[in-house]
Amino acid sequence: MADEFEPNILGILCNWCTYAGADLAGTARTQYPPNVRVIRTMCTGRLDPAFVLKALSLGADGVLVSGCHIGDCHYLAGNFKARRRVALIRKLLEEYGYDRERLRMTFVSASEGALWAEVVQDMVNTIKKLGPNPLKQAGAAGQEGAIADEF
Amino acid sequence: MKEYNFFLGCIAPNRYPGIEASAVKTSREFGIELCDFKGASCCPAPGAFGSMDINAWLALAARNICLSEKEGKDIALVCNGCYKSLFETNYRLKENPELRAKVNSVLANAGYEFQGTQEVRHLIDVLHKDVGVEKVKESVEVPLTGLNVAIHYGCHLLRPKVERIFDSSERPVFFDELVEALGAKSIDYKEKMMCCGAGGGVRSYKIDLALDMVNEKLYNMTQAGADVVVNVCPFCHLQLDRGQLEIKEKFGDVYDLPVLHYNQLLGIAQGMNPEELGLSAHVIDVEPLLAKVL
Amino acid sequence: MDQEKRIGVFVCHCGTNIAGVVNIPEIVEYTKTLPNVAFADAYTYVCSTPGQEMIINAIKEQNLNGVVVAACSPRLHEPTFRRATERGGVNQFLFSMANIREQNTWVHMEMPEEATRKAKDLIRMEVARASKLEPLEAKVVPVEKAALVIGAGIAGIQASLDLAASGIKTYLVEKEPSIGGNMSRLDKTFPTLDCSQCILTPKMVDVERSENIELMTYSEVEDVSGYIGNFDVTIRQKSRYVYEDKCNGCGKCQEVCPVSRPNEFDLGLQPRKAAYVPFPQAVPLKFTIDMDSCIKCDLCKADDACGELEAIDFDKPDEIVNVKVGTIIVATGFDMYDVERKEEWGYKVYDNVVTGLEFERLIGASGPTGGKVIRPSDGKQPKSVGFVLCAGSRDQDEEDGAKPYCSRVCCMYSLKHAHQLIEKIPGCVPYLFYMDIRSFGKAYEEFYYRIQDEGGKFIRGRVAKITEDPITKNLIVTAEDTLLGEIMEMEMDMVVLASAVVPTESTQKIKKLLTLSNSPDGWLLEAHPKLNPMSTTTDGVFLAGMCQGPRDIPDVVAHAGAAAAAASIPIHRGSVTLEPIYAIVDEERCGGCATCIGMCPYGATELTHVDSKLIAHVNEAKCKGCGTCGSACPSGAIKMQHFTNEQIMSEIEAFAQVW
Amino acid sequence: MATEGMRNPKHEQLGKTVLDPNLIKEVEAHGLDKARMCYQCGTCSAGCPMGQRSGLRVRKVMRKAILGMRDVLDDPDLWLCTTCYTCTDRCPRRVVPTDVIMALRNIATREKKVPMSMIKIMGAIYKTGHGVPNNEENAKQRVAVGLPPNPPTTHSYPEYIKDIQTILEVTGLLKIKEEMEAESQ
């Protein structure tokens, strides 16, 4: 089983809702797969398309962005903007030859620990189906500047 | 012209053909064609069969739906029991992929596969939603003014509410509206939403208790001054009609309350010839009622 | 970059919570190999005093200029470790935290290897982030010496009185014409049987008399902007069509008014005129004209009515009031569940089925029957009354809008109703149909004992259905006495449904304005259900009373007191330190394209002229640091303090280094 | 505590309540994921029309199913439920008591504890495809109302009956019928 593909997924979570929801899954000891590493931002509105492209260019198998439900954003409208950006990036990914499902945005509130565990499980299953990051297969991942990283 | 495969079940075609005949004729008035549903079988009886093996019940019900799927036609029926078997099976197999796979694996042995492409409609629902109370009123030739009707909704039509599409399972009104569209009066009576007692295989397992339930209903109806009982389920119809004879023999109570399926009542209101209503198959004589109305 | 980064990493055992799953020594050794890490160590409880001392000493001994702690969630102990870092002589914003407990060991308990590897990855990411952190100074902002309380039921009243007593100017806004809320509708209160009005009206009068409370009744909060210490609140004072300063509450307008309407205060059981006060002890005792019903016959303006006072003006417009406050308390109370949706009990179908609140009005002295409990159908006094407990509570039927939670007050007020019936109507027998009698409070169980002693009857079974005898209008209540296993069909003269309490509709609007969220049961979400039930995740906004969840009056008063105390702290301190997380525009790079303007819901960004060039500028005070503008800026000209692109990019690079 | 010698062997049975925690799992395997959540409020028993006139107490059936008292499968009252679903619509815990009774009946059927009246209905369907087949007298009635003597069901297209028989065999119901009919001879 050792060689079975274990995806490496980057999580970008908003501090007020999903990050708190993930903590709640912890206090409730809800078990879920260990494939996601989380970066905490104050709001999903902080999502910059470059973050996603950078992660995928360096070999990440998937990116999971998650924040408050629409209408609950601590900063009123950050998640609206993030939702639109994710839709845009997903179109962009297809032009780079990536399956759009490698990037996903979900909405998990501070009281939905169980939902967060389900979201992670579902994302891991999806990425396992898609297989490793195409760059990794072509051995091109990890090169500096694979995608222009200066602004 | 909307075509439906007309699912007959057992008791309508094989005990009260007047229900089948009146359904076909009255629906044609509204541009609904109830076509012959070739090869259909028992729905199978939800109470009896569901009690023995849920999977066999789902598979036999799904077999009937598959036949209609092959012809690409929706199914219309006139019985609450058949409605539970076919509507609920159709609903559950569409909603639950694992259940559908399990049932399809059973059906495969007989060469069928459930697709989930068709709808299952009770004729009373078609009349109320698609045809509408106004159109039904317009189709009346012989207004049934002065007729006190005790409606028996039946259980599987309304419950469990979670899967059903009607307004309420405690105080529904759609059937009352359809009866009053014919000029008759839908009377209120005690325990109106109560079961007729026949379901769940109890009529064949413990007839005395089944009759005791329908006895209470018949008593409540006559107390409220009913001239006729109207239902939308041939099995309730049989329990209410033949039941009165069995009650007289076993308990001595006599009601002589005529029993009509809604299609028959609609047929009378639309001026159908009484011979076409198969009233002679009824245990309780319906002639006195006709005299009152015609 | 400034001088060389020397980061100290402290890995916490957290007893067995972390150490019980991952290999701590292996992690510490790995951490030492990371770039910029000058020191790495582990300890059983880093958040303890000795743990913090370890950090402080390590900073001095190893001459550290950055700290990373790998332990629980930053939402829990980030403040603790920032202070320790500061006490060690390093700027507190050069600290970062790796969440290897809630988001690692606690959720991957059966996978020690993966959890260990994930802990290493998370630490590598935080060290990469720490390497790019810059020193920042916390923003200290003054706090307006005033508070806003939304809702003037007993919760809002108690909170306002406490705030005012501690010398804080308090704006109390109530949408009804009078304060008092649902408590003013009650007759007696359990378990002491105090008359509700007698213990409430003194507090209502205190509110009116308190010079620190500015009371705005028949008013609603329209908009809130700003942040803790500096909330700008817009309040709409709906027009009463009566000048409050001129009206002396004489009530003559009411006498002559020909129009009568069902009085909402009495749940429609008693009429009121178009010119009315909700109830006699209304505070303020000012009349209101219900313009939807008024027929403008001018009788109330005539000499024998308002006459020379000239308090009535049919064209008086609404008024908009703007106030500035430091903190806000939400006390919007509760409504009753629409128990009509449970058709099997026949509410509104059978005349003699009433709700618990309607029973309060019937038995209340100021109620429609002057306190005489009568059957709505024939006005007779009931000799047998059935009480249906858990009417819509502890019920999973979402289709009927029923509520899964226990409403906490119905058992006790049903016992109270039973007592009142026994006392007021000799020979009347109350039957309580219950599943569990929850008499949990002080003197509650003794009260239950007393009611049983006085003759209350208890049937352990939830009522399945109620039918009516059409002639006598008596009700047949059907339930199984599950202790006997027998089906009871009991004829009752009257039935009272102890219906569930539910959140009010108006709370949804307030929730949006204050960016609060709901807990799954629909009540407002508190900061922490056990340790901080009166605060919210929005700094400076607090909750008081039922709006946070069902509770009885003693708990409401305690909760409201706690909210007032919490809300007064920032005000008394006079200032509050805000995290210096806000946007700064790099004027060289900014092309003045104004993309960022559209991004900001707070209007914190604006275009300014800097020597003939159009440059975006961020108003530090208004900016909340969400970062939406930062990542939309096409030329990367906006730097998000403490969440800069470099910091996040370095975390991503560290994340991708699959070692 | 009775001392050792005092116990009469006849009383050996006392205190030997046998509970099978798997019974509720077997019930829930019939697509009823919340059957165990009953909190014994009695709404089902009270509203049950059959309960008014018999010993059927739906709440007691639920209690036995959840505690695992398998003797509920031998209780004749289990077969008195007319499946009117009144209890299901009113249950505050949404455990669908009617389907729990149906599931218990399914388990009883596999243990050959099903009333012969049910087996007879299955027999009719196996032979003709109908639980209530057509007969001479009814065929005349059909003609009188202008319908063909036989409905267009399996009565007119008997070739479909073999599919029904296959399904009954595959699901094991036929075997139960045959064994029970043999035992009852």
Side-chain angles (χ1 to χ4, degrees):
Chain A
M1 259 287 279
D3 54 8
E4 205 239 333
F5 165 54
E6 279 302 333
N8 191 12
I9 297 166
L10 175 67
I12 299 177
L13 269 50
C14 101
N15 171 61
W16 303 98
C17 289
T18 305
Y19 196 90
D23 283 353
L24 184 65
T27 39
R29 307 299 193 280
T30 313
Q31 303 301 301
Y32 57 82
N35 304 67
V36 175
R37 271 78 173 138
V38 167
I39 289 178
R40 179 169 69 114
T41 60
M42 294 314 282
C43 177
T44 47
R46 179 69 185 90
L47 178 74
D48 187 322
F51 299 159
V52 178
L53 301 177
K54 183 72 175 179
L56 292 172
S57 76
L58 295 178
D61 302 308
V63 178
L64 174 61
V65 177
S66 184
C68 307
H69 290 275
I70 296 299
D72 284 355
C73 174
H74 188 67
Y75 305 100
L76 304 181
N79 50 5
F80 285 88
K81 311 290 194 318
R83 184 172 60 175
R84 235 179 286 142
R85 281 181 204 151
V86 165
L88 176 78
I89 306 167
R90 279 161 66 103
K91 283 203 183 66
L92 206 61
L93 288 183
E94 277 169 347
E95 277 151 37
Y96 284 112
Y98 276 92
D99 186 303
R100 61 187 313 171
E101 282 307 314
R102 286 191 185 277
L103 168 65
R104 172 179 298 179
M105 178 165 189
T106 58
F107 305 94
V108 177
S109 80
S111 53
E112 290 173 319
L115 177 62
W116 171 248
E118 282 162 31
V119 159
V120 170
Q121 183 65 64
D122 189 54
M123 183 70 175
V124 170
N125 297 346
T126 309
I127 302 296
K128 274 187 175 165
K129 274 200 218 82
L130 294 177
N133 183 324
L135 286 179
K136 244 190 257 177
Q137 284 146 359
Q143 281 160 348
E144 279 314 308
I147 290 172
D149 62 0
E150 78 286 344
F151 293 77
Chain B
M1 178 58 91
K2 166 80 173 162
E3 276 194 354
Y4 286 98
N5 260 333
F6 186 18
F7 184 84
L8 299 175
C10 300
I11 292 166
N14 300 334
R15 289 295 175 280
Y16 291 95
I19 295 176
E20 178 184 341
S22 55
V24 172
K25 192 146 188 316
T26 54
S27 303
R28 212 168 266 143
E29 286 289 316
F30 307 116
I32 294 170
E33 193 48 44
L34 299 181
C35 321
D36 280 359
F37 189 178
K38 295 187 191 57
S41 71
C42 186
C43 57
F49 237 83
S51 300
M52 287 188 281
D53 186 329
I54 282 275
N55 298 322
W57 171 63
L58 286 168
L60 288 172
R63 189 198 73 83
N64 286 312
I65 300 172
C66 293
L67 288 179
S68 198
E69 284 181 344
K70 285 192 187 104
E71 296 172 21
K73 282 200 196 124
D74 285 346
I75 295 172
L77 42 84
V78 288
C79 164
N80 288 350
C82 304
Y83 184 63
K84 174 175 176 66
S85 289
L86 297 183
F87 174 82
E88 217 168 277
T89 300
N90 201 32
Y91 175 89
R92 285 195 201 167
L93 295 192
K94 281 186 185 174
E95 295 286 314
N96 182 338
E98 301 94 36
L99 190 62
R100 182 206 292 228
K102 208 165 118 191
V103 171
N104 271 337
S105 67
V106 173
L107 284 174
N109 298 291
Y112 293 83
E113 200 209 349
F114 176 83
Q115 309 285 342
T117 54
Q118 301 312 137
E119 293 303 320
V120 175
R121 303 288 301 281
H122 196 302
L123 194 57
I124 194 83
D125 177 44
V126 172
L127 290 176
H128 189 260
K129 284 211 180 63
D130 303 1
V131 173
V133 173
E134 284 319 312
K135 276 247 196 59
V136 170
K137 195 176 281 180
E138 282 152 23
S139 77
V140 172
E141 309 278 323
V142 177
L144 310 175
T145 34
L147 191 68
N148 284 337
V149 170
I151 287 176
H152 173 70
Y153 269 87
C155 305
H156 298 310
L157 176 65
L158 303 168
R159 296 187 291 269
K161 64 185 177 189
V162 117
E163 288 151 359
R164 296 307 189 266
I165 38 174
F166 302 113
D167 47 359
S168 145
S169 70
E170 297 279 350
R171 282 189 191 79
V173 290
F174 65 91
F175 196 169
D176 306 79
E177 286 166 2
L178 283 170
V179 164
E180 296 197 329
L182 310 181
K185 179 167 181 346
S186 162
I187 58 163
D188 197 15
Y189 62 90
K190 197 161 171 284
E191 294 295 336
K192 179 172 174 180
M193 299 317 295
M194 182 179 153
C195 173
C196 77
V202 176
R203 185 175 157 82
S204 50
Y205 174 63
K206 265 292 185 299
I207 185 117
D208 291 0
L209 282 174
L211 291 178
D212 190 61
M213 273 176 76
V214 74
N215 195 352
E216 180 181 339
K217 278 217 89 162
L218 289 165
Y219 176 78
N220 291 343
M221 291 177 191
T222 34
Q223 284 299 100
D227 299 326
V228 61
V229 188
V230 173
N231 64 73
V232 271
C233 171
F235 197 19
C236 300
H237 184 98
L238 182 138
Q239 170 82 339
L240 287 158
D241 179 43
R242 183 180 300 282
Q244 285 182 53
L245 177 66
E246 291 156 342
I247 287 168
K248 195 160 95 187
E249 284 157 5
K250 280 194 165 63
F251 308 127
D253 303 325
V254 176
Y255 298 105
D256 283 338
L257 189 59
V259 179
L260 287 176
H261 190 281
Y262 180 71
N263 295 331
Q264 292 173 308
L265 189 74
L266 181 57
I268 295 170
Q270 288 182 354
M272 257 176 87
N273 179 331
E275 281 77 32
E276 292 173 300
L277 296 170
L279 302 180
S280 52
H282 289 227
V283 171
I284 302 297
D285 189 358
V286 187
E287 290 309 326
L289 175 91
L290 292 184
K292 193 163 183 257
V293 171
L294 298 182
Chain C
M1 278 297 286
D2 44 25
Q3 17 89 302
E4 182 237 334
K5 270 287 170 189
R6 291 180 55 76
I7 295 172
V9 182
F10 304 86
V11 183
C12 184
H13 288 229
C14 191
T16 55
N17 286 310
I18 298 175
V21 177
V22 293
N23 180 332
I24 300 276
E26 189 185 308
I27 292 173
V28 172
E29 282 324 302
Y30 169 73
T31 307
K32 287 181 177 144
T33 65
L34 293 174
N36 300 328
V37 170
F39 175 79
D41 201 350
Y43 185 67
T44 48
Y45 295 99
V46 179
C47 62
S48 64
T49 313
Q52 291 174 45
E53 291 307 326
M54 185 176 108
I55 296 175
I56 294 163
N57 300 341
I59 290 174
K60 292 195 178 71
E61 286 150 17
Q62 305 294 334
N63 174 23
L64 302 177
N65 55 24
V67 175
V68 169
V69 169
C72 54
S73 166
R75 292 174 60 84
L76 212 58
H77 276 307
E78 188 169 53
T80 320
F81 294 124
R82 276 191 178 157
R83 271 196 302 280
T85 307
E86 192 88 9
R87 279 173 35 224
V90 171
N91 181 285
Q92 62 170 316
F93 290 96
L94 296 173
F95 164 77
S96 189
M97 216 170 154
N99 186 342
I100 61 169
R101 186 181 72 169
E102 279 86 340
Q103 293 186 14
N104 189 30
T105 53
W106 273 355
V107 288
H108 311 313
M109 286 172 153
E110 290 94 22
M111 305 180 225
E113 300 83 26
E114 287 87 347
T116 303
R117 191 160 69 82
K118 184 168 173 178
K120 291 177 186 170
D121 291 346
L122 290 173
I123 291 171
R124 185 177 64 245
M125 288 164 71
E126 277 323 306
V127 165
R129 171 178 159 76
S131 313
K132 294 284 198 291
L133 288 177
E134 292 152 357
L136 301 165
E137 288 318 316
K139 210 164 56 172
V140 177
V141 282
V143 174
E144 192 66 34
K145 201 170 189 323
L148 168 72
V149 177
I150 306 172
I154 178 62
I157 288 171
Q158 182 60 43
S160 313
L161 287 175
D162 285 359
L163 285 170
S166 74
I168 294 173
K169 169 79 181 171
T170 306
Y171 299 98
L172 176 55
V173 175
E174 167 56 48
K175 70 177 185 328
E176 295 305 324
S178 163
I179 66 176
N182 275 309
M183 184 172 171
S184 54
R185 286 175 159 147
L186 308 183
D187 175 36
K188 296 274 187 299
T189 54
F190 57 79
T192 55
L193 294 175
D194 286 307
C195 145
S196 182
Q197 297 284 359
C198 315
I199 57 175
L200 177 62
T201 13
K203 288 204 181 236
M204 289 164 63
V205 169
D206 289 350
V207 164
E208 197 171 33
R209 243 199 266 111
S210 161
E211 78 280 5
N212 270 340
I213 296 177
E214 186 171 330
L215 178 57
M216 289 180 240
T217 50
Y218 212 39
S219 305
E220 286 187 37
V221 171
E222 290 239 317
D223 191 24
V224 178
S225 61
Y227 50 93
I228 180 167
N230 303 274
F231 287 111
D232 295 311
V233 184
T234 314
I235 299 160
R236 169 179 295 276
Q237 288 193 293
K238 293 179 283 188
S239 168
R240 292 170 181 268
Y241 306 99
V242 167
Y243 290 106
E244 274 145 18
D245 43 12
K246 291 185 182 160
C247 167
N248 61 15
C250 68
K252 290 217 186 68
C253 59
Q254 177 174 263
E255 277 152 31
V256 299
C257 177
V259 174
S260 86
R261 279 284 169 278
N263 186 351
E264 297 83 358
F265 176 80
D266 279 307
L267 310 167
L269 297 173
Q270 183 168 215
R272 62 155 169 84
K273 295 293 187 65
Y276 72 103
V277 280
F279 58 103
Q281 303 91 331
V283 166
L285 190 60
K286 303 289 174 188
F287 277 74
T288 305
I289 293 180
D290 164 10
M291 203 39 88
D292 300 338
S293 327
C294 167
I295 53 170
K296 298 196 175 67
C297 64
D298 287 355
L299 282 175
C300 53
K301 291 183 182 172
D303 293 344
D304 59 356
C306 198
E308 75 287 346
L309 282 177
E310 286 165 359
I312 296 170
D313 170 3
F314 292 152
D315 306 319
K316 180 173 181 290
D318 291 356
E319 272 164 48
I320 300 294
V321 173
N322 287 306
V323 297
K324 217 172 169 20
V325 294
T327 53
I328 299 173
I329 296 180
V330 178
T332 46
F334 68 96
D335 276 337
M336 300 296 281
Y337 164 62
D338 178 10
V339 76
E340 183 181 357
R341 295 176 66 177
K342 283 277 171 191
E343 294 180 304
E344 57 262 40
W345 295 327
Y347 176 61
K348 285 214 177 106
V349 175
Y350 307 134
D351 299 345
N352 293 328
V353 175
V354 297
T355 67
L357 203 52
E358 284 169 346
F359 185 87
E360 286 289 339
R361 295 314 305 145
L362 283 175
I363 204 158
S366 69
T369 61
K372 197 158 165 293
V373 178
I374 54 148
R375 283 163 34 106
S377 65
D378 55 14
K380 290 210 191 72
Q381 282 199 321
K383 283 299 183 214
S384 60
V385 178
F387 290 87
V388 176
L389 270 52
C390 296
S393 299
R394 299 178 67 193
D395 188 330
Q396 307 282 335
D397 190 351
E398 281 148 13
E399 285 227 347
D400 288 353
K403 295 300 176 183
Y405 51 76
C406 161
S407 294
R408 274 175 69 141
V409 293
C410 341
C411 278
M412 292 311 294
Y413 77 59
S414 297
L415 285 172
K416 176 190 73 179
H417 289 165
H419 163 79
Q420 288 173 297
L421 280 176
I422 295 168
E423 184 190 50
K424 285 200 169 180
I425 306 175
C428 174
V429 182
Y431 293 90
L432 279 84
F433 294 89
Y434 72 99
M435 292 194 276
D436 305 281
I437 294 291
R438 295 187 167 178
S439 45
F440 51 89
K442 182 167 187 173
Y444 283 16
E445 183 66 17
E446 294 86 334
F447 189 66
Y448 178 16
Y449 178 94
R450 170 181 175 179
I451 299 342
Q452 185 170 346
D453 188 16
E454 287 171 352
K457 294 301 172 208
F458 299 88
I459 295 166
R460 201 272 162 197
R462 179 176 178 275
V463 170
K465 68 179 180 213
I466 298 173
T467 47
E468 180 190 63
D469 176 332
I471 300 123
T472 64
K473 296 289 179 184
N474 289 353
L475 301 159
I476 319 299
V477 178
T478 308
E480 183 196 7
D481 182 319
T482 56
L483 304 180
L484 293 172
E486 278 179 34
I487 297 172
M488 321 283 281
E489 282 198 351
M490 305 176 63
E491 186 163 357
M492 300 273 167
D493 296 338
M494 200 172 164
V495 166
V496 181
L497 304 177
S499 25
V501 295
V502 294
T504 55
E505 264 314 304
S506 59
T507 312
Q508 286 313 315
K509 184 168 162 255
I510 306 280
K511 183 198 109 170
K512 288 262 182 307
L513 285 177
L514 302 172
T515 67
L516 302 176
S517 41
N518 296 99
S519 42
D521 54 16
W523 301 99
L524 292 180
L525 184 66
E526 63 292 331
H528 191 281
K530 296 170 93 70
L531 301 182
N532 205 350
M534 62 284 176
S535 310
T536 67
T537 49
T538 308
D539 287 347
V541 176
F542 302 89
L543 305 176
M546 276 261 216
C547 65
Q548 189 256 342
R551 48 168 55 81
D552 51 27
I553 292 171
D555 288 355
V556 163
V557 170
H559 193 240
S568 63
I569 293 167
I571 293 173
H572 285 310
R573 280 224 313 266
S575 71
V576 73
T577 52
L578 292 183
E579 298 203 327
I581 297 174
Y582 49 82
I584 301 173
V585 177
D586 174 347
E587 288 178 356
E588 270 73 40
R589 280 191 165 188
C590 169
C593 70
T595 307
C596 55
I597 313 284
M599 287 291 140
C600 180
Y602 301 103
T605 48
E606 67 232 339
L607 278 183
T608 57
H609 286 280
V610 172
D611 47 52
S612 83
K613 249 179 84 192
L614 254 180
I615 303 288
H617 169 70
V618 174
N619 171 341
E620 253 173 52
K622 285 191 174 174
C623 170
K624 291 207 154 199
C626 67
T628 308
C629 63
S631 41
C633 172
S635 51
I638 295 181
K639 177 177 168 198
M640 296 311 306
Q641 295 230 87
H642 205 51
F643 288 92
T644 64
N645 284 340
E646 291 73 26
Q647 287 157 11
I648 295 177
M649 276 304 187
S650 61
E651 273 190 271
I652 294 174
E653 277 151 19
F655 155 79
Q657 282 157 16
V658 181
W659 46 272
Chain D
M1 265 296 289
T3 58
E4 203 41 55
M6 290 284 286
R7 268 183 94 79
N8 174 325
K10 191 163 74 56
H11 296 158
E12 261 333 294
Q13 289 312 321
L14 294 186
K16 289 281 185 309
T17 308
V18 176
L19 298 182
D20 172 5
N22 284 323
L23 180 57
I24 191 66
K25 294 197 184 78
E26 284 173 50
V27 167
E28 291 188 335
H30 290 77
L32 297 157
D33 57 357
K34 287 294 178 204
R36 63 185 178 285
M37 291 312 292
C38 164
Y39 59 12
Q40 291 293 299
C41 71
T43 302
C44 47
S45 310
C48 173
M50 186 52 86
Q52 305 288 350
R53 48 185 47 83
S54 72
L56 175 62
R57 294 293 179 274
V58 185
R59 178 184 59 80
K60 287 187 177 174
V61 172
M62 286 303 301
R63 182 130 189 86
K64 289 195 169 186
I66 290 167
L67 281 181
M69 301 171 88
R70 292 199 81 96
D71 66 334
V72 69
L73 300 173
D74 307 302
D75 184 349
D77 286 358
L78 185 65
W79 300 88
L80 293 186
C81 162
T82 63
T83 68
C84 74
Y85 283 87
T86 306
C87 55
T88 294
D89 271 6
R90 292 178 177 156
C91 169
R93 277 290 170 94
R94 317 311 294 155
V95 300
V96 197
T98 320
D99 284 351
V100 169
I101 288 175
M102 299 279 263
L104 289 169
R105 287 179 175 182
N106 274 229
I107 298 168
T109 303
R110 278 192 287 281
E111 294 177 4
K112 292 193 283 228
K113 294 172 181 159
V114 53
M116 281 314 284
S117 57
M118 298 284 190
I119 295 294
K120 279 204 198 68
I121 297 170
M122 190 216 298
I125 292 175
Y126 186 81
K127 262 200 233 68
T128 69
H130 280 285
V132 179
N134 199 357
N135 58 36
E136 281 305 315
E137 207 225 326
N138 186 70
K140 285 200 213 75
Q141 295 285 359
R142 291 183 60 83
V143 171
V145 296
L147 290 170
N150 262 318
T153 63
T154 46
H155 278 329
S156 308
Y157 300 88
E159 62 272 24
Y160 285 98
I161 293 177
K162 63 172 174 30
D163 301 340
I164 293 167
Q165 293 172 343
T166 314
I167 291 173
L168 289 177
E169 274 145 31
V170 161
T171 51
L173 265 184
L174 191 65
K175 193 157 100 9
I176 292 169
K177 169 170 144 1
E178 280 150 0
E179 281 167 10
M180 284 188 73
E181 276 163 352
E183 279 153 22
S184 70
Q185 247 72 32

